[in-house]
Amino acid sequence: MGSTRNDQLQQIFFRIRSNKVFEFFVIGVIIFSALVIGVKTYELPPVFVQVVGVLDIFITLIFLVEIIIRFLGEEDKKRFFNKAWNVFDTLIVIMSLVPIEDSEMALIGRLVRIFRVLRMVSIIPELRLLLNSLLTALPQLGYVMLMMFIIFYIYAAVGSTFFAEINPTLWGDIAVSLLTLFRVMTFEDWTDVMYETMTVYPLSWAFYLTFIFFTAFAFLNMVIGIVVNVLEEEHQRIARAEAEAAGEPTLKDLQNQLDELKALLQKQQ
């Protein structure tokens, strides 16, 4: 009897957390929380400061209720915290409940409330997909970034060697040269830097153009290509999982069926 009642309650909470209205309500609260955080950065009259403080407490309580509903709606509650986003949301809510605004840890309290905006990612599946794709692509991106750093380092050493006497502020050592090259890569007044060195080295334009070709055109496009490819793979993986859950045949199943038909035809021949 008790088990049946618990199952009924679990189903009720599951329907609540799966309801689109509830999801949009939570998203609205997160957006409102972000606006409250922005309001706190302004100089406000004491009355408005108190109102914002009450709103902040109200938002925290809503987040607490939302976490409880999601937990109670989980069929296997032991596996609720196996998901990283559930752990993140729970920690943010718990730390928001700690009254540290008037203590030495007030800065941490403000930071925790700022990170509540990240809960938008845990609520919206499409945002989770984008972030998961980015994390999945990190190993491949690491090699591209390493190669880009090598190119940066070589060009920074060359620039510091030849252009340090022209403008020590931009090319005085390899560290500031790396910053200058980042400015060139992002096209932030890079022509001013180039024309300054061309007054002494007329052919220095080749230094900048080749660097821009390697970094802004080649390597950054490789980064975009890797992320898009991983994102497409994630979409296909989710589509296969949904097809398997619905009992629909996947491309792999169709391929296996075609192989079996070919084998039967070959035996008959």
Side-chain angles (χ1 to χ4, degrees):
M1 185 71 176
S3 177
T4 304
R5 183 175 178 81
N6 290 336
D7 292 339
Q8 291 176 347
L9 289 174
Q10 186 268 326
Q11 288 297 323
I12 292 172
F13 286 118
F14 179 79
R15 285 196 295 269
I16 292 174
R17 79 172 195 176
S18 303
N19 191 287
K20 286 295 181 182
V21 175
F22 179 74
E23 182 178 314
F24 288 135
F25 172 74
V26 175
I27 292 173
V29 173
I30 293 172
I31 295 173
F32 184 72
S33 173
L35 295 176
V36 170
I37 292 170
V39 168
K40 285 184 175 182
T41 62
Y42 293 93
E43 291 290 337
L44 299 173
V47 176
F48 285 98
V49 172
Q50 293 178 357
V51 171
V52 170
V54 172
L55 288 174
D56 188 82
I57 295 173
F58 182 66
I59 290 168
T60 301
L61 292 177
I62 291 177
F63 285 155
L64 177 62
V65 172
E66 184 254 341
I67 284 289
I68 293 173
I69 290 174
R70 283 169 54 189
F71 177 76
L72 295 177
E74 186 73 23
E75 184 176 359
D76 187 358
K77 294 177 176 55
K78 293 180 180 179
R79 304 181 66 178
F80 179 80
F81 293 106
N82 288 348
K83 297 179 181 179
W85 283 114
N86 290 339
V87 176
F88 173 79
D89 291 343
T90 304
L91 287 176
I92 290 295
V93 172
I94 291 175
M95 293 183 69
S96 297
L97 292 171
V98 179
I100 57 178
E101 284 290 341
D102 298 327
S103 65
E104 296 179 354
M105 300 179 66
L107 180 61
I108 297 177
R110 297 191 190 101
L111 288 176
V112 169
R113 282 156 177 76
I114 291 172
F115 280 112
R116 288 194 309 202
V117 181
L118 271 178
R119 296 203 59 226
M120 190 82 74
V121 179
S122 65
I123 296 296
I124 302 177
E126 289 76 10
L127 294 181
R128 289 203 305 269
L129 176 62
L130 289 175
L131 186 59
N132 290 335
S133 300
L134 183 60
L135 294 176
T136 304
L138 282 180
Q140 300 178 54
L141 291 176
Y143 293 107
V144 177
M145 294 299 180
L146 178 60
M147 189 63 194
M148 186 180 289
F149 174 76
I150 293 172
I151 297 297
F152 259 84
Y153 196 86
I154 292 173
Y155 274 82
V158 172
S160 182
T161 301
F162 286 93
F163 307 144
E165 295 181 359
I166 299 174
N167 190 336
T169 303
L170 297 179
W171 304 100
D173 53 53
I174 199 164
V176 296
S177 296
L178 287 170
L179 292 175
T180 302
L181 288 174
F182 184 80
R183 169 183 171 182
V184 172
M185 185 190 71
T186 55
F187 302 112
E188 177 63 30
D189 292 333
W190 72 277
T191 52
D192 295 341
V193 181
M194 180 180 69
Y195 291 142
E196 184 181 41
T197 58
M198 285 179 64
T199 57
V200 180
Y201 299 100
L203 295 179
S204 62
W205 58 267
F207 172 85
Y208 298 96
L209 293 184
T210 55
F211 175 77
I212 289 174
F213 173 80
F214 281 126
T215 56
F217 296 153
F219 287 110
L220 287 183
N221 282 325
M222 289 173 64
V223 170
I224 295 172
I226 290 172
V227 173
V228 170
N229 183 55
V230 172
L231 184 60
E232 182 63 26
E233 291 177 353
E234 284 292 314
H235 276 294
Q236 292 178 0
R237 183 184 63 79
I238 293 174
R240 287 195 299 269
E242 291 177 350
E244 291 175 357
E248 299 176 359
T250 62
L251 289 175
K252 187 176 181 180
D253 294 333
L254 294 174
Q255 184 64 43
N256 292 334
Q257 292 175 7
L258 287 174
D259 292 339
E260 291 176 1
L261 288 173
K262 288 180 181 180
L264 289 173
L265 289 174
Q266 289 175 356
K267 287 181 180 179
Q268 290 178 358
Q269 292 176 355

